[in-house]
Amino acid sequence: MRYYFFWTLCSITMLMTVSSCSSDDREFKALDDALDRIDAITTQKENELASVRQMLNSAADGNERYALNNKLYDEYMSFIYDSAAYYVERNMELSQKMGDGHRVALSKMKKVNVMSVNGLFPEATELLNSVDTTVLTKQEMLEYYDLHGNLDLHKAEYYDDTPYRVAYIQSTIAYRKKIIASADKNSFIYNVALATNLAEEVKTREAIEVLEGYLNRSQLKSGSRYYSIVTNILA
C-alpha cells in the first residue's frame, strides 16, 4: 500500500509550517498539527471509500458494478495505486464478460495509467497499443493520446542521461500537440498539455499563466484529482 498523495501533502504541510517556527516547541507543535490533519483527511477518505465498497458488494447489476469500480479506481488513483489497479482489473474482467468492446478499451486505458506510474513500461506500451481506438469518442481519443504522451514521458525520465531520452521527449511533445490541436480550449486536458509543452520549451512564465488562468476559470473542486494535478504542476 502506497499513500503517495497524502504523504506528499503531509511533507509539504510540515515543511511549510516548520519554516515559520522559531523555537523547538513550536516546531514540534506544528509537526503534530500537520500529522493530525493528515490523519483526519485519511480517515475521512477511507470512510468514503468504505461506503462505496459496501455499495459495490451489494450491487447485482453489471452496469452498476462497472460504475462503482470506476469510481473506486478514480478515488484510489490519488490515494493508493495498488487498490486502483485492483478495481480496474475487475472492470476489465466484467467488460469482457459483458462483451462490451467500448468498456474493454476504456478499462485497458485505465490499467495502462496504473502500469505506467508503476514503471511497467513494456507491458503498458503493449496494452495501450492493443486498445481498439475505433470505439473511442473524440474525448476518449484525446485521453488515449495523453496516455501515450505520459507513458513516453515516464520512459524519458527513466532513461535520463541516455540517447533514448530525446526521442521519448519528442514523442511526448508530439502527442501533446495532437491534444492542443483538437481539444476544447477550456478543458483540463488542453490546458495541461499546453502548459507542459510551454514548460518543455523553457517558457515557464507562460506555462504558469496558462494553469493559473485555467484554475481561475474552471470549477475544479479543491482536493479533487484534477485540482491536485494542476496545483502540483504549479508547485
Side-chain angles (χ1 to χ4, degrees):
M1 297 293 189
R2 286 168 283 181
Y3 293 77
Y4 290 114
F5 175 75
F6 284 95
W7 281 114
T8 301
L9 177 61
C10 179
S11 300
I12 294 170
T13 305
M14 287 191 293
L15 287 171
M16 290 176 65
T17 51
V18 168
S19 64
S20 64
C21 297
S22 58
S23 69
D24 289 342
D25 288 343
R26 289 181 64 192
E27 288 177 3
F28 283 121
K29 185 179 185 306
L31 287 169
D32 287 340
D33 290 346
L35 288 171
D36 286 343
R37 288 196 297 274
I38 295 301
D39 287 343
I41 293 171
T42 302
T43 299
Q44 180 182 355
K45 189 77 168 180
E46 287 283 17
N47 289 338
E48 292 172 356
L49 291 169
S51 176
V52 179
R53 289 196 302 270
Q54 187 174 10
M55 293 169 62
L56 177 61
N57 290 336
S58 60
D61 180 69
N63 292 322
E64 184 181 3
R65 292 184 66 81
Y66 178 87
L68 290 169
N69 279 332
N70 263 348
K71 182 173 179 60
L72 287 165
Y73 163 86
D74 289 336
E75 293 295 332
Y76 274 120
M77 272 305 291
S78 61
F79 192 46
I80 310 173
Y81 287 149
D82 295 343
S83 293
Y86 172 82
Y87 289 105
V88 75
E89 195 66 45
R90 300 291 75 75
N91 261 1
M92 286 270 291
E93 296 172 359
L94 182 60
S95 300
Q96 288 166 350
K97 287 180 180 177
M98 296 171 70
D100 191 326
H102 183 223
R103 286 179 172 175
V104 169
L106 296 181
S107 297
K108 283 183 177 182
M109 288 166 62
K110 289 178 184 291
K111 186 174 180 180
V112 166
N113 197 24
V114 178
M115 295 169 75
S116 177
V117 169
N118 282 293
L120 301 173
F121 304 137
E123 297 88 343
T125 301
E126 182 179 1
L127 185 60
L128 187 55
N129 288 336
S130 76
V131 171
D132 181 3
T133 57
T134 64
V135 302
L136 301 179
T137 65
K138 177 183 176 181
Q139 178 60 34
E140 290 161 357
M141 198 66 206
L142 293 174
E143 292 168 4
Y144 177 81
Y145 292 148
D146 191 45
L147 276 174
H148 264 296
N150 286 334
L151 179 55
D152 284 341
L153 182 60
H154 284 303
K155 291 177 184 177
E157 292 169 349
Y158 182 80
Y159 290 107
D160 197 18
D161 297 326
T162 75
Y164 301 108
R165 182 182 184 279
V166 174
Y168 285 130
I169 289 294
Q170 289 175 341
S171 178
T172 297
I173 292 173
Y175 278 114
R176 287 177 186 153
K177 285 181 177 179
K178 287 185 177 184
I179 294 170
I180 293 166
S182 302
D184 178 352
K185 289 181 170 53
N186 290 317
S187 66
F188 167 83
I189 198 168
Y190 171 87
N191 283 274
V192 170
L194 179 59
T196 48
N197 264 10
L198 287 169
E200 198 65 44
E201 296 169 3
V202 200
K203 297 179 180 178
T204 308
R205 171 41 53 189
E206 292 95 326
I208 292 172
E209 288 175 354
V210 167
L211 291 179
E212 287 181 341
Y214 173 66
L215 276 181
N216 291 334
R217 294 191 309 272
S218 69
Q219 301 297 317
L220 291 181
K221 181 181 177 182
S222 177
S224 68
R225 184 183 171 203
Y226 284 167
Y227 183 90
S228 300
I229 291 172
V230 173
T231 52
N232 283 340
I233 294 172
L234 283 170

